[in-house]
PDB file of all heavy atoms in Angstrom:
ATOM      1  N   MET A 659      26.664 106.790 102.279  1.00 96.00           N
ATOM      2  CA  MET A 659      26.340 108.185 102.067  1.00 96.00           C
ATOM      3  C   MET A 659      26.742 108.992 103.314  1.00 96.00           C
ATOM      4  O   MET A 659      27.306 110.117 103.142  1.00 96.00           O
ATOM      5  CB  MET A 659      24.867 108.346 101.713  1.00 96.00           C
ATOM      6  CG  MET A 659      24.412 109.775 101.529  1.00 96.00           C
ATOM      7  SD  MET A 659      22.658 109.958 101.161  1.00 96.00           S
ATOM      8  CE  MET A 659      21.899 109.367 102.699  1.00 96.00           C
ATOM      9  N   GLY A 660      26.384 108.482 104.502  1.00 96.00           N
ATOM     10  CA  GLY A 660      26.790 109.212 105.753  1.00 96.00           C
ATOM     11  C   GLY A 660      28.270 109.385 105.812  1.00 96.00           C
ATOM     12  O   GLY A 660      28.833 110.450 106.210  1.00 96.00           O
ATOM     13  N   TRP A 661      29.087 108.354 105.463  1.00 97.00           N
ATOM     14  CA  TRP A 661      30.488 108.461 105.527  1.00 97.00           C
ATOM     15  C   TRP A 661      30.997 109.451 104.472  1.00 97.00           C
ATOM     16  O   TRP A 661      31.810 110.316 104.807  1.00 97.00           O
ATOM     17  CB  TRP A 661      31.151 107.055 105.209  1.00 97.00           C
ATOM     18  CG  TRP A 661      32.625 107.105 105.026  1.00 97.00           C
ATOM     19  CD1 TRP A 661      33.571 107.095 106.022  1.00 97.00           C
ATOM     20  CD2 TRP A 661      33.329 107.218 103.782  1.00 97.00           C
ATOM     21  NE1 TRP A 661      34.818 107.165 105.488  1.00 97.00           N
ATOM     22  CE2 TRP A 661      34.715 107.240 104.143  1.00 97.00           C
ATOM     23  CE3 TRP A 661      32.917 107.300 102.494  1.00 97.00           C
ATOM     24  CZ2 TRP A 661      35.662 107.358 103.190  1.00 97.00           C
ATOM     25  CZ3 TRP A 661      33.942 107.388 101.560  1.00 97.00           C
ATOM     26  CH2 TRP A 661      35.277 107.412 101.868  1.00 97.00           C
ATOM     27  N   ALA A 662      30.531 109.408 103.316  1.00 97.00           N
ATOM     28  CA  ALA A 662      30.959 110.277 102.181  1.00 97.00           C
ATOM     29  C   ALA A 662      30.629 111.713 102.522  1.00 97.00           C
ATOM     30  O   ALA A 662      31.465 112.641 102.320  1.00 97.00           O
ATOM     31  CB  ALA A 662      30.406 109.811 100.932  1.00 97.00           C
ATOM     32  N   LEU A 663      29.496 112.025 103.002  1.00 97.00           N
ATOM     33  CA  LEU A 663      29.123 113.395 103.299  1.00 97.00           C
ATOM     34  C   LEU A 663      29.815 113.959 104.472  1.00 97.00           C
ATOM     35  O   LEU A 663      29.901 115.183 104.667  1.00 97.00           O
ATOM     36  CB  LEU A 663      27.528 113.521 103.497  1.00 97.00           C
ATOM     37  CG  LEU A 663      26.710 113.295 102.270  1.00 97.00           C
ATOM     38  CD1 LEU A 663      25.276 113.265 102.566  1.00 97.00           C
ATOM     39  CD2 LEU A 663      27.063 114.301 101.182  1.00 97.00           C
ATOM     40  N   HIS A 664      30.304 113.103 105.332  1.00 96.00           N
ATOM     41  CA  HIS A 664      31.150 113.605 106.509  1.00 96.00           C
ATOM     42  C   HIS A 664      32.668 113.584 106.216  1.00 96.00           C
ATOM     43  O   HIS A 664      33.411 113.993 107.087  1.00 96.00           O
ATOM     44  CB  HIS A 664      30.839 112.728 107.775  1.00 96.00           C
ATOM     45  CG  HIS A 664      29.557 112.956 108.384  1.00 96.00           C
ATOM     46  ND1 HIS A 664      28.351 112.452 107.935  1.00 96.00           N
ATOM     47  CD2 HIS A 664      29.168 113.755 109.516  1.00 96.00           C
ATOM     48  CE1 HIS A 664      27.341 112.835 108.737  1.00 96.00           C
ATOM     49  NE2 HIS A 664      27.821 113.633 109.663  1.00 96.00           N
ATOM     50  N   TYR A 665      33.013 113.136 105.017  1.00 96.00           N
ATOM     51  CA  TYR A 665      34.468 113.036 104.683  1.00 96.00           C
ATOM     52  C   TYR A 665      34.814 113.938 103.532  1.00 96.00           C
ATOM     53  O   TYR A 665      35.704 114.769 103.683  1.00 96.00           O
ATOM     54  CB  TYR A 665      34.812 111.609 104.452  1.00 96.00           C
ATOM     55  CG  TYR A 665      36.213 111.384 104.023  1.00 96.00           C
ATOM     56  CD1 TYR A 665      37.296 111.788 104.740  1.00 96.00           C
ATOM     57  CD2 TYR A 665      36.494 110.780 102.699  1.00 96.00           C
ATOM     58  CE1 TYR A 665      38.608 111.557 104.335  1.00 96.00           C
ATOM     59  CE2 TYR A 665      37.768 110.611 102.285  1.00 96.00           C
ATOM     60  CZ  TYR A 665      38.758 110.998 103.064  1.00 96.00           C
ATOM     61  OH  TYR A 665      40.118 110.860 102.614  1.00 96.00           O
ATOM     62  N   PHE A 666      34.189 113.741 102.401  1.00 96.00           N
ATOM     63  CA  PHE A 666      34.653 114.416 101.234  1.00 96.00           C
ATOM     64  C   PHE A 666      34.540 115.992 101.238  1.00 96.00           C
ATOM     65  O   PHE A 666      35.390 116.686 100.639  1.00 96.00           O
ATOM     66  CB  PHE A 666      33.876 113.934  99.963  1.00 96.00           C
ATOM     67  CG  PHE A 666      34.265 112.584  99.598  1.00 96.00           C
ATOM     68  CD1 PHE A 666      33.420 111.510  99.716  1.00 96.00           C
ATOM     69  CD2 PHE A 666      35.576 112.293  99.193  1.00 96.00           C
ATOM     70  CE1 PHE A 666      33.762 110.230  99.301  1.00 96.00           C
ATOM     71  CE2 PHE A 666      35.988 111.047  98.799  1.00 96.00           C
ATOM     72  CZ  PHE A 666      35.072 109.957  98.896  1.00 96.00           C
ATOM     73  N   PRO A 667      33.624 116.625 101.993  1.00 95.00           N
ATOM     74  CA  PRO A 667      33.570 118.071 102.024  1.00 95.00           C
ATOM     75  C   PRO A 667      34.906 118.674 102.598  1.00 95.00           C
ATOM     76  O   PRO A 667      35.240 119.837 102.323  1.00 95.00           O
ATOM     77  CB  PRO A 667      32.387 118.438 102.973  1.00 95.00           C
ATOM     78  CG  PRO A 667      31.481 117.240 102.762  1.00 95.00           C
ATOM     79  CD  PRO A 667      32.394 116.051 102.636  1.00 95.00           C
ATOM     80  N   PHE A 668      35.696 117.928 103.371  1.00 95.00           N
ATOM     81  CA  PHE A 668      36.924 118.468 103.930  1.00 95.00           C
ATOM     82  C   PHE A 668      37.989 118.750 102.822  1.00 95.00           C
ATOM     83  O   PHE A 668      38.859 119.513 103.087  1.00 95.00           O
ATOM     84  CB  PHE A 668      37.469 117.518 104.983  1.00 95.00           C
ATOM     85  CG  PHE A 668      36.675 117.499 106.349  1.00 95.00           C
ATOM     86  CD1 PHE A 668      35.907 116.463 106.641  1.00 95.00           C
ATOM     87  CD2 PHE A 668      36.795 118.599 107.187  1.00 95.00           C
ATOM     88  CE1 PHE A 668      35.224 116.504 107.880  1.00 95.00           C
ATOM     89  CE2 PHE A 668      36.135 118.638 108.344  1.00 95.00           C
ATOM     90  CZ  PHE A 668      35.302 117.559 108.730  1.00 95.00           C
ATOM     91  N   PHE A 669      37.819 118.061 101.730  1.00 94.00           N
ATOM     92  CA  PHE A 669      38.751 118.303 100.654  1.00 94.00           C
ATOM     93  C   PHE A 669      38.554 119.801 100.083  1.00 94.00           C
ATOM     94  O   PHE A 669      39.527 120.217  99.427  1.00 94.00           O
ATOM     95  CB  PHE A 669      38.563 117.236  99.570  1.00 94.00           C
ATOM     96  CG  PHE A 669      39.175 115.914  99.840  1.00 94.00           C
ATOM     97  CD1 PHE A 669      38.342 114.898 100.441  1.00 94.00           C
ATOM     98  CD2 PHE A 669      40.439 115.650  99.547  1.00 94.00           C
ATOM     99  CE1 PHE A 669      38.898 113.684 100.780  1.00 94.00           C
ATOM    100  CE2 PHE A 669      41.071 114.408  99.900  1.00 94.00           C
ATOM    101  CZ  PHE A 669      40.240 113.443 100.518  1.00 94.00           C
ATOM    102  N   LEU A 670      37.433 120.287 100.289  1.00 92.00           N
ATOM    103  CA  LEU A 670      37.195 121.673  99.775  1.00 92.00           C
ATOM    104  C   LEU A 670      37.708 122.684 100.656  1.00 92.00           C
ATOM    105  O   LEU A 670      37.637 123.924 100.335  1.00 92.00           O
ATOM    106  CB  LEU A 670      35.633 121.831  99.505  1.00 92.00           C
ATOM    107  CG  LEU A 670      34.950 120.777  98.661  1.00 92.00           C
ATOM    108  CD1 LEU A 670      33.503 121.086  98.551  1.00 92.00           C
ATOM    109  CD2 LEU A 670      35.589 120.852  97.266  1.00 92.00           C
TER     110      LEU A 670
END
Side-chain angles (χ1 to χ4, degrees):
M659 178 179 66
W661 172 84
L663 291 176
H664 284 80
Y665 174 59
F666 288 115
F668 285 106
F669 284 92
L670 305 177

